[in-house]
């Protein structure tokens, strides 16, 4: 391993991005479009851009319109729009005649890779190891490891920057009762994030169980159902939610994914925010209505010649414990919350569509821990401009992307807010209005506007209103 040259006289960057997922790719694309471009560098440990490759199931669509690309909702004239990608690929007219407002996931992935292949300043196969604040230079120090084609350390390096943008994304969540099973190589227990990598092995299993009631679980169950012979499906779909419920997709419901709601949510007390998020699961954890319909249609089709498909769909169930049976099968111990009953299910393969959790920031930001301000639950405090709240002695900013659900609400991981958040960050970083943003984005007024109380009057002719109980 060698050390990359890092002379103390090197010119610092204006911005270093850590992680290159859709959100930091959006930030990089919009930063590239500022009239006086910033000096930027974005680092990603993977060798190339890939967006949920294990879930790019044929026919699976984004749950947001194509306008929720990397840049359009902040700068529709950008060269990095999805429409310009189509034009570049000579596919604009076919897309026009296809009349698709929601594109397939695979196409979104291809679009993002097109941007990442052309945008300068992106450094793949670079793993960021640590971030520190250098008081003497008033700069952040970013240590990284350059990786070779096998993912092994090749060289060490360091760069300096005035500001940082964290876009390290989320990681698959595996419930505690099932963690030991995922570590056993002989048992096909995988997270939905790896579904396509193991699809053939899973299809060869005698009986398959899908756990999780969100969009990923529904798409995987539908894909397995279509691939299994009629009458011999041998599928089980379990969910903790009380129903396989549709996602809230009404036009006014979608206004929870607007800048207006993000600002409203951020201004609420911490205790109120924490109470709200779990009750809003159907805004982002439900199932697309078309997917629900496709599952029902496929099940119904299999009854046309008599009999029922060998597929069991059971909501309201949690997995208490799990273990092996004869080293090759899996036994799930189930509990039904409404019936208060318990049962066992033996299966040959398990797919965990149990969602994702924000990656903890502490590993990368250990060097900044003395400067960080935290809330009552020890989470980083994040202001309304997506900046970590740091000690005033730190004059640079650390911006976060998709790590602020506890402060900004359910829209934090939503692709539709990517361009707006990136533009907000760049406007703040440059202290300019580089990207003019709308003052209002929703018809819903989410809170009451505080007003000055009226001055009491002594008018004897005024009849006071009686306040209701």
């Amino acid at each position: 391993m060698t050390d990359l040259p890092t002379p103390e006289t090197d010119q610092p960057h204006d911005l270093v991005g850590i992680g290159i997922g859709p959100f930091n790719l959006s930030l990089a694309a919009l930063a590239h479009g500022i009239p006086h471009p910033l000096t930027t560098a974005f680092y990603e440990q993977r060798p190339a851009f890939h967006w949920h490759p294990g879930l790019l199931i044929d026919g699976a669509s984004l749950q947001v319109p194509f306008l929720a690309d990397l840049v359009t909702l902040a700068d529709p004239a950008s060269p990095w729009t999805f429409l310009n990608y189509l034009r570049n690929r000579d596919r604009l007219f076919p897309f026009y005649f296809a009349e698709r407002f929601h594109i397939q996931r695979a196409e979104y992935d291809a679009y993002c890779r097109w941007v990442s292949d052309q945008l300068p300043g992106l450094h793949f196969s670079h793993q960021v190891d640590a971030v520190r604040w250098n008081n003497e230079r008033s700069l952040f120090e970013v240590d990284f490891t350059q990786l070779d084609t096998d993912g092994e350390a090749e060289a060490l390096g360091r760069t300096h920057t005035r500001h940082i943008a964290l876009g390290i994304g989320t990681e698959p969540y595996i419930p505690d009762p099932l963690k030991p099973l995922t570590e056993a190589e002989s048992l096909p227990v995988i997270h939905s994030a790896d579904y396509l990598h193991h699809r053939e092995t899973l299809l060869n299993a005698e009986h398959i169980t899908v756990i999780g009631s969100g969009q990923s679980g529904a798409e995987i169950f539908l894909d397995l159902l279509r691939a299994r012979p009629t009458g011999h499906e041998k599928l089980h779909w379990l969910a903790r939610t009380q129903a396989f419920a549709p996602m809230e997709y009404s036009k006014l419901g979608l206004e929870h994914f607007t800048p207006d709601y993000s600002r409203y949510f951020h201004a609420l007390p911490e205790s109120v925010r924490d109470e709200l998020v779990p009750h809003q699961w159907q805004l982002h954890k439900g199932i697309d209505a078309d997917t629900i319909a496709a599952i029902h249609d496929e099940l119904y089709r299999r009854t046309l010649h008599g009999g029922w498909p060998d597929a069991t769909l059971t909501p309201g169930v949690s997995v208490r414990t799990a273990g092996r049976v004869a080293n090759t099968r899996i036994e799930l111990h189930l509990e039904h919350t409404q019936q208060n009953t318990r049962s066992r299910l033996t299966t040959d393969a398990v797919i965990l569509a149990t969602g994702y959790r924000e990656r903890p920031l502490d590993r990368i930001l250990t060097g900044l821990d003395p400067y960080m301000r935290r809330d009552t639950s020890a989470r980083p405090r994040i202001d309304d401009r997506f900046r970590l709240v740091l000690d005033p002695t730190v004059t640079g900013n650390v911006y976060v992307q998709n790590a602020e659900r506890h402060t900004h609400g359910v829209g934090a991981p939503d692709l539709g807010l990517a361009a707006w958040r990136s533009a907000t960050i760049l406007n703040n970083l440059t202290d300019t209005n580089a990207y003019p943003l709308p003052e209002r984005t929703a018809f819903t007024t989410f809170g009451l506007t505080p007003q000055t109380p009226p001055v009491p009057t002594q008018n004897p002719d005024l009849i006071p209103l009686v306040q209701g109980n």
Side-chain angles (χ1 to χ4, degrees):
M1 194 186 325
T2 61
D3 288 341
L4 296 175
T6 55
E8 290 300 310
T9 56
D10 66 335
Q11 289 297 314
H13 297 288
D14 294 312
L15 175 68
V16 163
I18 302 174
I20 306 178
F23 297 132
N24 262 359
L25 188 59
S26 164
L27 186 64
L30 287 172
H32 184 259
I34 291 178
H36 300 288
L38 301 168
T39 56
T40 64
F42 287 77
Y43 298 102
E44 168 61 51
Q45 66 180 9
R46 296 175 300 175
F49 182 94
H50 287 290
W51 183 72
H52 296 301
L55 279 171
L56 300 181
I57 300 169
D58 285 345
S61 298
L62 281 186
Q63 293 172 281
V64 292
F66 74 89
L67 292 173
D69 63 13
L70 301 172
V71 294
T72 292
L73 292 177
D75 182 14
S78 167
W80 309 113
T81 64
F82 176 72
L83 289 179
N84 197 44
Y85 158 73
L86 292 176
R87 179 178 177 272
N88 182 270
R89 289 288 189 265
D90 201 19
R91 297 178 57 232
L92 197 53
F93 270 88
F95 179 75
Y96 166 60
F97 290 118
E99 297 184 347
R100 293 186 181 276
F101 202 47
H102 291 79
I103 62 175
Q104 292 191 13
R105 287 183 183 177
E107 187 164 28
Y108 178 80
D109 176 63
Y111 153 68
C112 288
R113 282 189 282 111
W114 171 77
V115 175
S116 69
D117 288 344
Q118 298 185 82
L119 198 63
L122 307 185
H123 303 276
F124 291 94
S125 296
H126 282 67
Q127 173 185 293
V128 171
D129 302 311
V131 175
R132 291 178 299 275
W133 176 249
N134 186 320
N135 274 308
E136 294 181 0
R137 299 186 65 185
S138 294
L139 294 170
F140 292 105
E141 293 178 349
V142 180
D143 290 346
F144 59 85
T145 301
Q146 185 173 316
L147 308 176
D148 62 20
T149 54
D150 296 321
E152 299 296 328
E154 188 174 53
L156 301 177
R158 174 179 296 170
T159 190
H160 295 83
T161 182
R162 297 179 180 87
H163 306 286
I164 287 172
L166 285 173
I168 58 176
T170 57
E171 58 188 4
Y173 169 70
I174 299 174
D176 289 337
L178 291 156
K179 282 182 179 177
L181 295 181
T182 61
E183 297 167 0
E185 295 183 3
S186 60
L187 295 176
V189 180
I190 59 117
H191 192 273
S192 58
D194 297 317
Y195 171 66
L196 286 183
H197 307 314
H198 299 274
R199 183 174 182 271
E200 293 306 315
T201 300
L202 292 166
L203 286 174
N204 289 327
E206 181 73 11
H207 183 277
I208 309 172
T209 299
V210 179
I211 300 175
S213 63
Q215 182 68 17
S216 296
E219 289 174 351
I220 288 171
F221 179 80
L222 178 59
D223 185 62
L224 292 170
L225 180 62
R226 286 171 169 168
R228 306 283 271 192
T230 300
H232 300 279
E233 294 83 3
K234 295 189 177 181
L235 296 173
H236 223 108
W237 187 14
L238 304 173
R240 286 190 306 168
T241 54
Q242 300 308 313
F244 295 105
M247 186 172 293
E248 167 56 69
Y249 210 72
S250 67
K251 289 179 171 58
L252 290 179
L254 288 175
E255 291 193 339
H256 286 84
F257 300 96
T258 58
D260 283 9
Y261 185 76
S262 293
R263 287 188 287 261
Y264 160 78
F265 187 92
H266 186 271
L268 293 173
E270 178 188 334
S271 60
V272 177
R273 297 197 303 252
D274 287 347
E275 185 179 352
L276 262 178
V277 170
H279 291 93
Q280 295 178 328
W281 66 270
Q282 212 165 337
L283 288 170
H284 60 107
K285 290 185 178 180
I287 306 169
D288 174 75
D290 289 341
T291 306
I292 292 177
I295 290 172
H296 191 276
D297 288 347
E298 183 63 29
L299 292 169
Y300 176 73
R301 184 185 66 80
R302 292 166 182 251
T303 69
L304 295 182
H305 301 292
W308 286 69
D310 187 7
T312 304
L313 293 71
T314 311
V317 173
S318 61
V319 179
R320 294 173 49 250
T321 59
R324 302 188 195 189
V325 178
N327 291 326
T328 58
R329 305 198 77 199
I330 304 140
E331 185 175 86
L332 305 175
H333 295 195
L334 310 177
E335 181 172 12
H336 196 284
T337 53
Q338 292 180 348
Q339 289 182 324
N340 194 27
T341 55
R342 293 182 177 181
S343 182
R344 296 181 182 183
L345 172 64
T346 303
T347 187
D348 298 288
V350 175
I351 302 160
L352 302 172
T354 47
Y356 298 80
R357 295 291 186 274
E358 295 171 357
R359 283 194 174 93
L361 306 179
D362 296 340
R363 183 187 68 81
I364 290 178
L365 298 183
T366 299
L368 297 180
D369 189 66
Y371 303 99
M372 291 177 63
R373 300 294 181 258
R374 299 180 182 272
D375 64 16
T376 59
S377 298
R379 298 167 300 196
R381 289 174 55 195
I382 301 167
D383 71 10
D384 61 345
R385 295 297 183 266
F386 304 98
R387 300 173 296 190
L388 292 181
V389 179
L390 302 172
D391 188 89
T393 57
V394 179
T395 56
N397 293 321
V398 178
Y399 300 95
V400 297
Q401 305 222 62
N402 195 12
E404 73 280 7
R405 184 178 296 180
H406 63 291
T407 58
H408 287 72
V410 293
D414 191 75
L415 295 175
L417 286 175
W420 169 75
R421 179 171 52 199
S422 294
T424 300
I425 290 171
L426 291 170
N427 287 352
N428 178 262
L429 187 154
T430 61
D431 196 25
T432 68
N433 197 27
Y435 290 104
L437 297 174
E439 293 183 4
R440 183 173 180 181
T441 55
F443 291 112
T444 306
T445 302
F446 292 101
L448 296 175
T449 304
Q451 295 180 344
T452 304
V455 179
T457 178
Q458 302 299 320
N459 186 343
D461 297 325
L462 185 66
I463 301 174
L465 296 174
V466 178
Q467 194 169 26
N469 292 328

